[in-house]
Amino acid sequence: MSSLVFTLRRKHGTGKNIDELYDEAKQLLTWVLTPEAVCITAASYGRHAMQLKLKFGFDIVAEYFERQHHSDLPSFAEQLVGDKVNWCDPLGAQVMVMTYSPIRGKIGQELTKVVDVTPQEVSLHELSSSQDIEKVVHEFYASAPEPKENGPSEKRFLIIHADPVAASLRMIEHCRFVCEKARSDFCKKGKGAVGSMFVTL
């Protein structure tokens, strides 16, 4: 929670106080909850929305089931691409999302329908070493096209399936670190086009 608050502080600067940042962080964390967890939480407080609001600072049921407009990864990607507020930097976004996709499932074809691009898609448990992970991520950024002077930039997606049953948590954390470092290095070079790079883990 503290790291998320600090991230929001860097994003908003001094525009929001700590309490406001804390409330925003809690709302963002509801995006990674399961429906079961939200229902259990709501059931423990009965139907008293006011008690939920006093406990969490907002109505967690309404936030999860009404304000979130995405029900699957393609709809989330469509919303992500279309709203710059959700980007983590000018180039686009790097997000870690929780889905219920089968271990061998590929969703790239479904994603193509909503973002007009064929994503690069890999499964973490099929990579044999940390060097393989680094190679995939670094090649994704190294092959990024140069920014266009006129016209919209080409959007590129990298989807890494990180199933906790098939891949160890240590491997998943290492992959996340590799993605963050590669993106940071790429941003420092300043060669990417606005809204061109999206990584989903």
Side-chain angles (χ1 to χ4, degrees), residues 19-184:
D19 290 336
E20 291 173 326
L21 293 174
Y22 184 62
D23 288 339
E24 183 177 350
K26 287 190 293 184
Q27 287 179 293
L28 289 175
L29 287 176
T30 61
W31 286 37
V32 298
L33 294 176
T34 63
E36 292 82 3
V38 176
C39 291
I40 291 172
T41 301
S44 65
Y45 288 91
R47 296 186 176 182
H48 303 290
M50 185 58 66
Q51 290 186 14
L52 283 171
K53 190 170 184 179
L54 289 174
K55 176 68 175 180
F56 300 102
F58 58 95
D59 187 343
I60 191 173
V61 176
E63 181 71 27
Y64 190 86
F65 290 106
E66 297 175 14
R67 296 192 181 94
Q68 292 190 88
H69 301 296
H70 55 274
S71 58
D72 52 25
L73 191 55
S75 61
F76 172 75
E78 184 177 21
Q79 178 183 341
L80 181 67
V81 172
D83 189 357
K84 293 183 179 180
V85 174
N86 294 322
W87 295 4
C88 63
D89 54 52
L91 300 181
Q94 176 175 300
V95 294
M96 190 169 186
V97 299
M98 182 174 62
T99 70
Y100 293 93
S101 301
I103 193 170
R104 294 184 180 276
K106 299 291 185 182
I107 51 88
Q109 187 174 3
E110 294 297 321
L111 198 62
T112 303
K113 299 176 183 178
V114 297
V115 295
D116 297 325
V117 63
T118 301
Q120 181 180 347
E121 198 167 6
V122 297
S123 295
L124 190 58
H125 62 274
E126 294 177 354
L127 304 177
S128 59
S129 66
S130 59
Q131 286 82 5
D132 292 336
I133 299 172
E134 294 168 6
K135 181 180 179 181
V136 168
V137 176
H138 291 159
E139 286 182 351
F140 173 73
Y141 284 104
S143 60
E146 293 293 328
K148 296 180 180 179
E149 294 184 2
N150 298 315
S153 58
E154 177 187 350
K155 291 180 174 57
R156 304 180 71 247
F157 273 82
L158 171 61
I159 301 175
I160 303 175
H161 294 270
D163 194 305
V165 175
S168 67
L169 293 178
R170 183 177 180 180
M171 192 175 188
I172 294 174
E173 283 300 307
H174 175 69
C175 181
R176 184 171 65 87
F177 170 77
V178 170
C179 290
E180 290 177 353
K181 186 177 185 303
R183 189 176 192 88
S184 176

Side-chain angles (χ1 to χ4, degrees), residues 5 8-9 12-24:
V5 172
L8 292 173
R9 167 67 80 180
H12 295 295
T14 57
K16 291 186 176 182
N17 59 41
I18 291 296
D19 290 336
E20 291 173 326
L21 293 174
Y22 184 62
D23 288 339
E24 183 177 350

